[in-house]
Amino acid sequence: MGVVVIQVDYSAKDKIEEDMDQGDNLRKWQLSRRQVLKAVGAAGVAALAAPLMPAFLARSAGSGPEEGSKATRLRQWVLVFDLRKCEGCITKGTPPKCIEGCNAEHFVPEGQEWIRVFQVEGPAGHSYFLPRPCMQCENPPCVKVCPVGATYRNDEGIVLINHERCIGCRMCMAACPYGVRSFNWDQPENPPGALFANYSPQYPVPHRRGTVEKCMLCAHRVQDGKLPACAEACPMYAIYLGDLTEDIATNGKDVVKLSQLLADSSAFRLKEELGTRPRVWYIPGHGQEYGHEVGDERPPIKARTWQEQGVTLEKKREGASK
Amino acid sequence: MNRLFRSIARLGALIAVLLIIAGPLHMARADSPPAPGTGHAPGHIKVEVTDLGFNGKTDGLVIEVEQGQMVELTFTWAHQSYPREEHIMVLQGYGLETDRLNSSNREATLKFIADKAGTFNFKCDVECDVHDYLQQGYLKVKRSGSAAADGSAKATFTPTTLALSPSAWVTGGEAVTLTAVLRDPGGVSVPKAELSFYLEAEFGGSKGKMWFAKARTDANGVAFLEYRPILEAPKQTITARFDGMGIYAESEQAIEVQVIGVPPSAYDMEPTGLTGPSLGVWLGGTPPQPALSAWSWAISNWGPLALATMVLAMWGVFGFILYQAFRISRVRPRR
């Protein structure tokens, strides 16, 4: 068994230490115990705060004087689409009025539709129409994935986007199981005067390049006691705005008990199995109440954009003041 | 004698011939649906709900009555191959519907005065394609000479009075029992009458009467309804309405309920978060409504602090190791 003898040349080490003592530049890199503890403490606090940031950002994104409606209790908004009455406006020979109403209200950028009307094939081989806005989920995946807290859910259950914070990463678009979000690849056309309009997440005009947009249940209208633009424009009164807090809903003509409406008509929600708990219900049907024949396979007519409808901010203001 | 015998034989033969002729006629009448009464006499009509439609008619049964006539339309459940079939029969235009018809409740009657002339569809209201095609019938109400231009006749409905009480103060969240009493002019109670309750409501720019409940009168003509305010309005007008069931005159009564304070929300939002399996631990937003166990309470309250301490401790250890590694270069050798 051999013995290994290690010889250490202490003279070289001493030389280095002497250099360190003499060099001011090297001295700067020396840390005291206190400094190290301070740095560790700061890193710990940062590590702790990091997971809380999206929630904090989301909360701060929604803070604004115009948040919420004027009722004492917080509303919990819902939409109900009565498909027994929705026939895609084809028997009227017009484009779907809900889409056009939405386009005109929000100056929706060309190529986007914040509410879309799909023609769906039913189990009996017939077709029916399915208007699909944002589902305003109670458990929204889009909010959870937003890295900057730009998309958030306000106290009244409306999922909004703060475009001043949106960085255009499109994570929310990937996360949304309903595909209701659109992206502004280019600078969208805004109506004249819109650049000076007061932007708010409730009414995101002017539109901005590189941000995500979607239906926001006309948050600016419902908190003023008005129907969303789609519901107001629907000639069939097929769209109900409801409030879960008061258990009430209206389509602009009738005032009904929301829970009764849903229970009596076997209402359903889209992709309920995902656990997103959408706030949009559908009453099954195929437009039969307005004479839509089962064999009528005509697709809906393409909706006009706000430019084609000739809507301007001035006209909208005049209409609102009347 | 012979003449007498022959006369009796002739009479017997005549009676026999008459019986032979009248027998099938009588049988035919018995097979067909009973004819309703004429004029203003009550018309009792029986309809059998069979596998092949009303009275076995697949192309729709047609019943004719006179305008102004009292009609009793009785549906009898008579399915052979479908023992689980259920029906609720409705008479459109008159707004009447029966109780649920099934194998245990085999008979239901609509009793009304046919005051409106025209053809009215009666059918099963349970949404099903087979029902839609097979359970169809039509009530033809023939116009009487005294009918008005719109086809309605002045039927003599028995007037009723509906009393609703109490006009009350209710504290938000508490319930008040509304009592409705329905009587005819003689003070006789009207039993089994369905009353509808409406609230004056305003929402989304629309005003109207919102149906919110129904109640049925008991043998004394009294219906009770427990009302718990949901709407935020401090003054709420409640209307009870009796539609007459086709034989009585319509009546309604409104009261005002004042609500003190804000009623609770009608909706309890389900919290969003994660549950630790078999631990009852909740990580997420507002904790679920059932009371938390001591264990999950401790985690909910002290969990964040414990987590922060743990994270700090880990970073402290890392930092200490880093510091030690940094110090190695500064260690002076032992001489």
Side-chain angles (χ1 to χ4, degrees), chain B residues 250-289:
Chain B
E250 295 172 358
S251 56
E252 66 177 39
Q253 171 79 29
I255 56 163
E256 201 167 75
V257 173
Q258 306 235 9
V259 181
I260 306 162
V262 180
S265 169
Y267 182 64
D268 291 325
M269 196 146 60
E270 209 177 318
T272 305
L274 296 168
T275 47
S278 73
L279 289 175
V281 177
W282 178 259
L283 298 172
T286 318
Q289 291 306 308

Side-chain angles (χ1 to χ4, degrees), chain A residues 14 17 72-73 138-139 245-246, chain B residues 230 232 263 266-267 272 332:
Chain A
D14 289 343
E17 282 186 359
T72 316
R73 291 182 299 178
E138 272 181 25
N139 187 18
T245 306
E246 283 201 328
Chain B
I230 295 292
E232 204 180 308
Y267 182 64
T272 305
R332 286 177 184 275

Side-chain angles (χ1 to χ4, degrees), chain A residues 304-316:
Chain A
R304 293 172 299 163
T305 62
W306 62 267
Q307 295 98 327
E308 288 164 347
Q309 294 179 59
V311 188
T312 62
L313 271 175
E314 286 74 29
K315 280 186 186 172
K316 253 171 66 63

Side-chain angles (χ1 to χ4, degrees), chain B residues 141-197:
Chain B
V141 182
K142 286 189 280 185
R143 186 188 288 256
S144 72
S146 59
D150 64 351
S152 63
K154 277 192 178 174
T156 48
F157 293 111
T158 311
T160 51
T161 50
L162 181 62
L164 183 63
S165 60
S167 294
W169 294 81
V170 188
T171 307
E174 288 182 0
V176 60
T177 302
L178 304 176
T179 308
V181 183
L182 186 66
R183 302 217 186 280
D184 69 9
V188 179
S189 56
V190 181
K192 287 189 174 180
E194 192 175 277
L195 307 180
S196 297
F197 291 82

